[in-house]
Amino acid sequence: MTSPDSRGDREKVVSKLPAWLRQELKVRAVQHGIDMQDAVDAGISAWRGLGSNLAAIDTSGAESFATFLPAEQWTGFKADCKSRGVSLIQGLAQSVRLWLDSNPAPAVKRPAIVRRIIVCNQKGGVGKTAITAGAGEALAEDPAALVPVRVSKHFAALLDEDDTTDPLALEDLPGLGQRVLLVDFDPQGHLTKQLGHEPLPMDGDSLTNHMAGDGKGDLSDLIVTIDDDRFADRLHLLPACADAFLLDVRLASVRAREAALERALAAVEADYDVILIDCPPSLGLSMDAATYYGRRRPDEAPGNSGTLIVVQAEDSSADAYGLLTSQIEDMRDDLALDVDYLGLVVNHYDARRGYIATSSLQSWMDIKDPRVVGVIGDLKEQKEAVRAKRPLLAYAPRCEQSVALRALAREISK
């Protein structure tokens, strides 16, 4: 069945295609940055140029499928199907399969140097743990599946009443497929518990022991997998241990203590593309070690690693932000480090709170360096996921927080 199309010389074509083949086509077209109709057009052209038929495809249960093709393409395709003795549905399925086989999924882009993202703010309760977990989950999602993403530029529309941009606009994009390690660097262990695991026992091994030079085994033995099909084996967690409450005391006697975290994690870096550190609300030696770990290494591109500062749209976050950035700047100056700011994340935002929230958000937006790279709403799904001890992006993959966290992951991966 065909019908006229206003877009040039194309016409709407309605046939049938198995749902599994249509989904694979949809994902692959997005991966290659082209329209599905162009992929089908290319597949049909290649199929028509073959000297013989391909192996038959199981088209049982095929469902209605519509696309737009040049008028002469569809007419010629129908004639070729008839001369080759195959149905239109079978010919279309073979054409799509031919295009898929000729255009394999692009390889996941891996950083030359493991990315180290330090999620921090010395103020407690701003949601560092939720941002660490959510960004890590978004980085690790299946690259062979499409997920809804809020286009990052749209959060600016939250402040502009004259902006015609739809702040809720979504785009389906492939998952990023990164190998991610989440490090619970906070002795309170919120990240560990939220993801359904228990903190490490005090009388066993821990990250603290390895940082203090007293590791009892391989650090990799402490790492656990976050089990969910969305992440396969790409999302891992290094659980917290309550002995981290004593970390600053133990680091006081360690040689080159600012490099202690780097020395501890060096043994596992080769297994990951991204390591996110969920920092404690502290300005002590542990924060120095985290900042040093996120510094720009020799031959590392600017913005590959650095600090991601989580704030809220209220006044006390501004005071905490000033204290944190002062400490980072002191580290930069004292040790001659290049420490990049990956940006600010305004968390728990709710415009219904009125002037305090909106004016505070505007103040964060006005900073420019570091710039705001994400605005995450204060919604119920995050609290529900914490109660269920499940990753948010697995618990509610299409909720507003999830789509915003995917945009954040892409923004800091540019």
Side-chain angles (χ1 to χ4, degrees):
M1 178 188 300
T2 64
S3 60
D5 173 39
S6 60
R7 291 174 291 180
D9 59 350
R10 289 180 179 258
E11 62 182 3
K12 184 178 181 180
V13 175
V14 180
S15 183
K16 290 187 176 181
L17 201 64
W20 62 268
L21 189 57
R22 176 178 181 171
Q23 181 63 21
E24 189 174 352
L25 171 65
K26 181 179 179 180
V27 173
R28 192 70 55 80
V30 174
Q31 289 174 330
H32 285 278
I34 67 172
D35 289 334
M36 286 176 64
Q37 64 181 19
D38 294 326
V40 174
D41 187 8
I44 289 176
S45 294
W47 184 86
R48 294 182 64 194
L50 295 176
S52 60
N53 286 340
L54 299 174
I57 294 175
D58 182 4
T59 60
S60 58
E63 300 173 352
S64 179
F65 174 75
T67 188
F68 292 89
L69 296 173
E72 69 279 3
Q73 177 75 296
W74 187 244
T75 300
F77 175 63
K78 290 192 294 184
D80 287 348
C81 285
K82 183 176 181 180
S83 66
R84 293 187 189 184
V86 299
S87 68
L88 283 173
I89 296 174
Q90 181 63 217
L92 180 60
Q94 291 184 15
S95 299
V96 170
R97 182 76 266 167
L98 181 59
W99 183 84
L100 289 168
D101 291 343
S102 302
N103 296 271
V108 173
K109 294 182 180 180
R110 312 259 180 224
I113 298 175
V114 62
R115 301 186 62 219
R116 301 160 325 280
I117 300 175
I118 314 304
V119 185
C120 54
N121 193 334
Q122 62 90 206
K123 183 181 185 299
V126 296
K128 296 184 293 294
T129 296
I131 297 303
T132 302
E137 292 160 24
L139 288 164
E141 282 187 303
D142 187 356
L146 298 182
V147 293
V149 181
R150 165 147 327 133
V151 181
S152 59
K153 66 182 180 181
H154 291 314
F155 63 69
L158 293 169
L159 292 172
D160 189 353
E161 294 180 357
D162 297 325
D163 196 320
T164 57
T165 302
D166 178 6
L168 300 181
L170 302 180
E171 183 176 355
D172 284 337
L173 297 174
L176 295 174
Q178 299 288 288
R179 301 166 300 178
V180 177
L181 175 63
L182 305 174
V183 177
D184 195 343
F185 199 42
D186 187 342
Q188 298 174 90
H190 293 316
L191 178 62
T192 300
K193 297 169 187 174
Q194 286 184 20
L195 293 176
H197 289 271
E198 292 297 322
L200 298 169
M202 283 284 288
D203 58 353
D205 204 3
S206 67
L207 176 59
T208 299
N209 286 337
H210 283 263
M211 291 179 65
D214 298 324
K216 301 177 182 180
D218 293 335
L219 188 70
S220 59
D221 293 338
L222 305 178
I223 294 173
V224 295
T225 300
I226 305 301
D227 292 321
D228 191 277
D229 291 342
R230 302 187 73 86
F231 317 119
D233 191 32
R234 292 181 298 272
L235 184 61
H236 295 169
L237 168 71
L238 178 54
C241 180
D243 66 355
F245 280 115
L246 303 175
L247 180 57
D248 281 10
V249 175
R250 296 182 68 180
L251 285 182
S253 59
V254 172
R255 176 186 57 83
R257 56 179 178 258
E258 69 278 354
L261 181 59
E262 181 164 300
R263 289 195 297 267
L265 293 177
V268 300
E269 283 189 353
D271 297 329
Y272 299 100
D273 301 311
V274 187
I275 297 177
L276 292 99
I277 311 295
D278 183 24
C279 292
S282 166
L283 294 178
L285 297 179
S286 57
M287 188 61 218
D288 283 346
T291 301
Y292 186 88
Y293 186 57
R295 80 194 187 287
R296 193 191 315 160
R297 293 176 178 175
D299 300 324
E300 185 173 15
N304 187 66
S305 300
T307 59
L308 184 67
I309 303 175
V310 182
V311 298
Q312 288 183 319
E314 41 77 36
D315 294 338
S316 62
S317 276
D319 297 334
Y321 167 77
L323 293 172
L324 174 63
T325 53
S326 293
Q327 179 172 356
I328 293 173
E329 294 305 319
D330 287 344
M331 286 274 301
R332 274 176 157 179
D333 295 339
D334 294 345
L335 299 178
L337 304 179
D338 289 318
V339 180
D340 295 325
Y341 290 108
L342 300 181
L344 299 170
V345 180
V346 182
N347 196 26
H348 297 159
Y349 180 72
D350 188 347
R352 293 173 301 177
R353 292 173 182 153
Y355 175 75
I356 292 178
T358 57
S359 62
S360 181
L361 176 59
Q362 182 65 66
S363 297
W364 292 120
M365 299 283 283
D366 289 343
I367 290 179
K368 306 303 183 186
D369 185 21
R371 64 190 178 90
V372 172
V373 292
V375 178
I376 312 298
D378 187 12
L379 302 171
K380 65 182 178 65
E381 286 83 1
Q382 175 62 46
K383 299 179 181 67
E384 293 173 351
V386 170
R387 174 64 63 87
K389 295 186 177 180
R390 292 189 60 198
L392 172 65
L393 272 66
Y395 176 81
R398 300 193 67 86
C399 78
E400 286 301 311
Q401 290 163 315
S402 292
V403 297
L405 285 163
R406 293 189 185 103
L408 169 64
R410 284 159 173 78
E411 190 69 19
I412 61 177
S413 297
K414 290 180 178 179

